[in-house]
Amino acid sequence: MSKIVFWSPLHGQGQTSNLHIIALIMSLLHKKKILMMQTHFSMNNLEGPLVGKSIDISKRANYSIFHDIGIDAAVMYSQTNRLMGNMLESCCITFPNTSLLLLPGTETKNRETFDRDTCKAVCNMVHHAEDYVDLIMIDANSGNDELSFKLISLADIIIINLTQSRHVLHKFLSDYGDKFSDYSKLFFLFGNYDKNAAYNIYNCRRRYKNYINRDNSAVIPYLTKYMDAQNEGEVLAMVKEGLNICNASDMDKIKEIIKRKLKLSRYQGEDMDYFFYQACKSVTKILNALNMEESKSQLKRSRAWG
């Protein structure tokens, strides 16, 4: 059971949309049971692109579909040691024919109350929840946020969400380069990617070769249809259509889909094919990184017992 934290040095780096596509491909194609959650108090839209509605603390009417569920409920059950598998699912939004669990964000409207009652207990809640899913994906606050770095310290992989901006890259290295003790756990993901830009992934790897390499970096290309689906709350349907898996029920068919997407040329095919080619490639690299971290952890445990 692994924990993946999505974090950015600055807000607005495509972090949430990156999490959506990575989580959906891992669930739909790789059959992972995924818990998606976010720790933002405001300025987040993890729920909306999936269910067509998101929490907005300024509009009480939006709370009806999230009543008595979400991170607040999960934290409460965790504090009383009742966050078992069925209880965790009761706190989440589920989706037919998927293994996705979406834990909505806080309904608390007071920041001090959120910090006091929820933030302090989130890490313990995550610890309890990981026994019941394959992967927990956490959309964390950007920047130098105390809770985000607590979660980062627990993570198996930290996805550093970036754009092709020299300012953002320099800010990460200058302001946060020393905050990460283990660079082997970092994975650099460039969202809204444009392969024709001067700061393409190959030039970034060459320019920042001490940090970014082929194994620990990938891209999610910009795709108008994906952005429209985010806005319209139709991401799940769009990804199913793009992966052509609506009728794929067995693993052999699913593996063939993955193989077909990964064989596409980087520079051929329609925009949608290129988008899913790169997204599937990103997922494969992240899963490989997780397997490497798991192997390292097992080696450390065997040495401790030896």
Side-chain angles (χ1 to χ4, degrees):
M1 288 16 87
S2 300
K3 300 173 288 297
I4 305 177
V5 172
F6 285 68
W7 175 88
S8 305
L10 292 169
H11 188 72
Q13 303 306 302
Q15 177 175 313
T16 302
S17 61
N18 288 348
L19 187 154
H20 283 146
I21 189 64
I22 296 297
L24 288 171
I25 291 175
M26 284 188 177
S27 174
L28 296 171
L29 285 188
H30 295 271
K31 296 303 179 182
K32 302 291 186 183
K33 187 171 185 179
I34 307 286
L35 173 65
M36 293 179 288
M37 59 175 284
Q38 52 107 338
T39 58
H40 299 253
F41 179 72
S42 60
M43 294 194 303
N44 180 266
N45 195 24
L46 181 67
E47 298 88 8
L50 292 164
V51 301
K53 205 169 193 179
S54 63
I55 291 178
D56 183 343
I57 61 174
S58 67
K59 298 177 181 177
R60 293 181 61 86
N62 279 2
Y63 281 75
S64 57
I65 64 171
F66 300 124
H67 184 63
D68 290 335
I69 65 172
I71 193 171
D72 301 322
V75 164
M76 178 188 69
Y77 290 128
S78 174
Q79 288 174 322
T80 56
N81 294 316
R82 291 187 292 156
L83 193 66
M84 306 302 178
N86 60 339
M87 198 63 78
L88 175 63
E89 292 199 19
S90 75
C91 297
C92 298
I93 296 171
T94 57
F95 303 89
N97 304 315
T98 77
S99 55
L100 287 168
L101 299 175
L102 172 62
L103 187 67
T106 185
E107 291 189 13
T108 303
K109 292 179 282 297
N110 182 280
R111 183 58 189 255
E112 291 183 4
T113 303
F114 176 68
D115 290 341
R116 183 190 69 233
D117 297 340
T118 304
C119 286
K120 289 183 178 179
V122 165
C123 292
N124 195 47
M125 183 273 289
V126 169
H127 175 69
H128 286 148
E130 67 177 322
D131 291 336
Y132 305 103
V133 295
D134 297 317
L135 292 164
I136 298 178
M137 296 192 177
I138 305 170
D139 191 353
N141 284 303
S142 58
N144 191 18
D145 179 80
E146 181 180 358
L147 176 57
S148 295
F149 276 89
K150 283 183 180 178
L151 291 165
I152 282 170
S153 70
L154 301 176
D156 298 288
I157 293 293
I158 304 105
I159 308 293
I160 307 296
N161 295 268
L162 301 168
T163 54
Q164 293 163 275
S165 164
R166 183 171 60 180
H167 167 68
V168 175
L169 286 160
H170 286 181
K171 183 170 182 62
F172 168 73
L173 294 174
S174 62
D175 293 2
Y176 299 100
D178 296 334
K179 280 187 170 290
F180 296 94
S181 58
D182 187 357
Y183 263 73
S184 69
K185 289 188 176 184
L186 301 190
F187 190 93
F188 298 90
L189 188 60
F190 290 78
N192 293 322
Y193 178 73
D194 178 1
K195 65 177 180 287
N196 297 312
Y199 267 69
N200 60 44
I201 189 64
Y202 308 103
N203 288 335
C204 287
R205 287 170 184 161
R206 184 161 50 246
R207 186 174 186 123
Y208 304 100
K209 60 184 178 182
N210 291 335
Y211 307 94
I212 304 175
N213 57 58
R214 289 184 63 183
D215 295 327
N216 74 355
S217 62
V219 304
I220 303 294
Y222 177 82
L223 179 68
T224 301
K225 189 169 184 176
Y226 183 55
M227 293 301 105
D228 288 344
Q230 292 267 325
N231 289 326
E232 295 163 7
E234 296 290 341
V235 165
L236 180 57
M238 179 266 174
V239 173
K240 282 185 174 181
E241 177 190 347
L243 294 173
N244 302 315
I245 66 165
C246 291
N247 298 316
S249 57
D250 62 79
M251 280 307 298
D252 287 339
K253 290 181 180 178
I254 290 169
K255 287 177 180 177
E256 184 58 34
I257 291 166
I258 297 172
K259 189 183 299 183
R260 187 169 66 248
K261 292 295 180 186
L262 293 180
K263 278 185 177 179
L264 283 170
S265 168
R266 288 192 298 270
Y267 300 108
Q268 294 178 357
E270 298 178 356
D271 289 345
M272 194 158 170
D273 283 336
Y274 178 68
F275 173 82
F276 281 103
Y277 159 75
Q278 290 291 359
C280 287
K281 189 175 179 181
S282 298
V283 166
T284 299
K285 287 188 174 187
I286 292 169
L287 289 174
N288 287 341
L290 282 171
N291 290 335
M292 288 177 62
E293 284 302 312
E294 184 178 340
S295 297
K296 284 164 59 178
S297 297
Q298 291 173 349
L299 181 61
K300 287 180 181 178
R301 288 196 294 271
S302 66
R303 286 175 176 172
W305 284 102

